[in-house]
């Protein structure tokens, strides 16, 4: 998703199955990265939070990672991942 141009993103938005598949793939890559970096502190912290706070915390962390490579689309991509 991060490397797609605007036309491809518009195509994804018009095809729910393709969008779901791309968002799921992006989430898997992100979660694998988080797991491989040994960030168990995040898991521990999330376990003590309400579902709403968990979503906010994950959103903030995702956004900070995504905005580095794609500042113009970071909000939209973060939102798509959080909707999973």
């Amino acid at each position: 998703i991060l490397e797609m141009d605007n036309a491809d993103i518009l195509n994804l938005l018009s095809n729910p199955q393709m969008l779901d598949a791309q968002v799921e793939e992006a989430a898997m890559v992100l979660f694998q990265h988080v797991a491989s970096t040994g960030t168990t502190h995040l898991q521990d912290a999330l376990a003590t939070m309400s579902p709403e706070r968990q979503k906010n915390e994950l959103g903030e962390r995702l956004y900070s990672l995504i905005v580095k490579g794609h500042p113009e689309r970071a909000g939209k991509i973060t939102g798509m991942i959080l909707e999973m």
Side-chain angles (χ1 to χ4, degrees), residues 11-47:
N11 186 34
L12 271 182
L13 293 174
S14 68
N15 185 328
Q17 289 97 3
M18 283 178 53
L19 178 60
D20 288 344
Q22 287 294 316
V23 170
E24 182 148 339
E25 180 182 337
M28 291 281 276
V29 169
L30 178 64
F31 292 130
Q32 288 171 350
H33 171 74
V34 169
S36 70
T37 58
T39 55
T40 57
H41 298 295
L42 175 60
Q43 292 171 342
D44 293 341
L46 291 174

Side-chain angles (χ1 to χ4, degrees), residues 20-82:
D20 288 344
Q22 287 294 316
V23 170
E24 182 148 339
E25 180 182 337
M28 291 281 276
V29 169
L30 178 64
F31 292 130
Q32 288 171 350
H33 171 74
V34 169
S36 70
T37 58
T39 55
T40 57
H41 298 295
L42 175 60
Q43 292 171 342
D44 293 341
L46 291 174
T48 65
M49 296 177 188
S50 69
E52 183 177 334
R53 181 66 186 125
Q54 288 176 355
K55 187 174 183 178
N56 288 338
E57 181 68 25
L58 288 173
E60 290 172 14
R61 289 177 184 241
L62 286 169
Y63 183 86
S64 69
L65 293 171
I66 295 167
V67 75
K68 292 175 187 175
H70 301 278
E72 68 285 346
R73 295 185 225 148
K76 181 173 277 199
I77 294 168
T78 302
M80 289 189 303
I81 293 172
L82 289 175

